[in-house]
Amino acid sequence: MIKIAPSILSADFSKLGEQILKTKEAGAEYLHIDVMDGIFVPNISFGAPVYKCIRKMTDQFFDVHLMIVDPLRYIDSFAAAGADGITIHHEACDNPIETLQYIRSKGIKAAISIKPKTDPQVLKPYLPFIDMILIMSVEPGFGGQSFIPTAIDSVRAAKKLVDEGGYDIDIEVDGGLSAKNVDLVSSVGANVIVAGSAIFGAPDMAEAIKEIRENGDQTYCAKL
Ligand code: DX5
Ligand code: ZN
């Protein structure tokens, strides 16, 4: 079974609360929260104070995707704001394992992400320290971009590493996903699907979530 993670980067921030409740009513288990610093990626989004405000509205899993350099500096404040899971980038710090261990020490699920051009074999040393792998299927920084097909190979390779090592690690994919192409990644083992524009840009958000889930569940492959 797959989980759906609407990315609030594509929400209408003048109606953020209302839109989040709609995703909750439609059964989205996660909220994907994109934090950008203008250095690791060429864009700035929002920080902990924004999602702290919505924490009391919903019990959805807060899946915080940190696109920032040296994330260790901010783990305390992201934890205090109510993160359930924190993802850091392999490319964004010198001490990823120390940071992942610190995230877990706070009782928060830890995840590592790789950009589309990063070799998925770099994930191997992280496996004992993570609960999830995030494969980027666009260059991080902006919502609304097109899915990069090489991400399919990265998901497959990540799934293979996880299964061969006997780990229980979720595989999330982020960027350019919709009901039309979710099968490309669910069929090679992705079980957490991020979607921003395909959900918040849809005329009927509940319908969009339902379609992504149906197509994802029908094609999900738990064992390659
Ligand atoms: C990109 C972000 C994504 C983005 C996804 O850097 O990490 O989460 O918001 O948006 P869509 O689904 O529109 O590609
Ligand atoms: Zn993201």
Side-chain angles (χ1 to χ4, degrees):
M1 294 291 281
I2 65 160
K3 294 190 175 91
I4 312 282
S7 163
I8 63 167
L9 189 65
S10 298
D12 176 345
F13 274 70
S14 70
K15 303 181 194 155
L16 185 59
E18 195 185 303
Q19 293 200 331
I20 284 167
L21 288 180
K22 276 193 188 161
T23 70
K24 177 178 155 71
E25 280 160 22
E29 296 87 350
Y30 285 23
L31 273 187
H32 185 80
I33 298 171
D34 286 307
V35 178
M36 303 177 183
D37 65 356
I39 299 171
F40 180 65
V41 290
N43 195 12
I44 296 173
S45 58
F46 47 77
V50 169
Y51 74 82
K52 188 173 183 202
C53 293
I54 51 178
R55 180 66 283 185
K56 52 188 174 296
M57 297 182 62
T58 176
D59 56 3
Q60 285 159 299
F61 184 96
F62 276 17
D63 171 33
V64 178
H65 177 193
L66 296 184
M67 286 162 275
I68 67 175
V69 294
D70 298 332
L72 186 55
R73 297 172 296 159
Y74 291 103
I75 300 304
D76 285 340
S77 71
F78 289 120
D84 296 300
I86 295 181
T87 301
I88 60 166
H89 266 266
H90 163 75
E91 305 88 354
C93 49
D94 297 328
N95 49 356
I97 289 179
E98 185 193 338
T99 309
L100 293 163
Q101 285 176 312
Y102 191 65
I103 293 169
R104 276 188 163 176
S105 77
K106 296 262 164 193
I108 293 171
K109 304 255 189 221
I112 191 90
S113 180
I114 55 168
K115 299 205 281 183
K117 291 191 188 107
T118 301
D119 182 347
Q121 296 309 318
V122 303
L123 295 167
K124 206 167 179 184
Y126 298 117
L127 298 177
F129 306 101
I130 55 174
D131 302 287
M132 187 175 80
I133 291 167
L134 168 55
I135 302 291
M136 288 306 299
S137 45
V138 296
E139 285 299 331
F142 299 90
Q145 303 182 78
S146 299
F147 177 81
I148 298 174
T150 52
I152 302 166
D153 298 328
S154 299
V155 174
R156 193 186 287 111
K159 175 71 175 160
K160 210 164 164 251
L161 287 175
V162 167
D163 287 354
E164 282 174 2
Y167 293 98
D168 181 15
I169 294 175
D170 288 325
I171 300 186
E172 179 177 59
V173 186
D174 181 9
L177 288 169
S178 69
K180 289 198 174 70
N181 62 3
V182 62
D183 60 303
L184 298 176
V185 295
S186 54
S187 61
V188 286
N191 67 325
V192 184
I193 304 297
V194 178
S197 45
I199 290 176
F200 290 101
D204 182 340
M205 243 188 259
E207 189 57 29
I209 289 172
K210 185 169 160 255
E211 284 178 9
I212 296 170
R213 184 186 305 290
E214 279 175 5
N215 293 355
D217 275 342
Q218 272 165 22
T219 54
Y220 175 59
C221 179
K223 206 98 210 124
L224 293 186

